[in-house]
């Protein structure tokens, strides 16, 4: 279950560790490249498409309010 609470303050669904922004919400998928292409075709900001060298692929994307989300995919 996911609850969203409206706020009058400028906030995003992220937190910082060592001055690096991390998303609060992450998803897992099987076809990360197809997802990245779909998001880009629909004018969604996508970044940090990376391979961690351990068999995991990651990408970050942002909703229209600037909330950062993460997607992970098992490479193998």
């Amino acid at each position: 279950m996911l609850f969203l609470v409206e706020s009058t303050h400028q906030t995003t669904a992220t937190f910082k560790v060592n001055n690096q922004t991390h998303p609060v919400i992450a998803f897992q998928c099987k076809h990360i490249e197809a997802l990245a292409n779909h998001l880009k075709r629909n004018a969604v900001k996508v970044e940090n498409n990376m391979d961690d060298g351990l068999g995991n692929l990651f990408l970050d994307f942002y909703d229209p309010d600037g909330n950062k989300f993460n997607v992970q995919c098992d490479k193998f």
Side-chain angles (χ1 to χ4, degrees), residues 22-34:
H22 297 273
V24 174
I25 299 172
F27 303 94
Q28 188 169 22
C29 74
K30 292 183 180 183
H31 305 286
I32 200 164
E33 290 179 16

Side-chain angles (χ1 to χ4, degrees), residues 2 5 10-11 14 16 24 31 35-37 40-43 47 53 55-59 63 65 69-70:
L2 176 66
V5 178
Q10 182 66 24
T11 61
T14 60
K16 286 192 175 195
V24 174
H31 305 286
L35 174 62
N37 291 333
K40 290 175 187 176
R41 279 194 309 273
N42 287 280
E47 63 181 28
N56 299 296
L57 302 172
F58 297 92
L59 71 83
D63 73 7
D65 293 321
F69 300 91
N70 179 266

Side-chain angles (χ1 to χ4, degrees), residues 2-53:
L2 176 66
F3 291 98
L4 299 176
V5 178
E6 187 173 357
S7 172
T8 58
H9 305 295
Q10 182 66 24
T11 61
T12 59
T14 60
F15 63 95
K16 286 192 175 195
V17 174
N18 296 329
N19 214 25
Q20 184 177 359
T21 302
H22 297 273
V24 174
I25 299 172
F27 303 94
Q28 188 169 22
C29 74
K30 292 183 180 183
H31 305 286
I32 200 164
E33 290 179 16
L35 174 62
N37 291 333
H38 175 78
L39 292 171
K40 290 175 187 176
R41 279 194 309 273
N42 287 280
V44 175
K45 180 181 174 185
V46 176
E47 63 181 28
N48 293 335
N49 196 356
M50 67 171 256
D51 182 335
D52 70 358

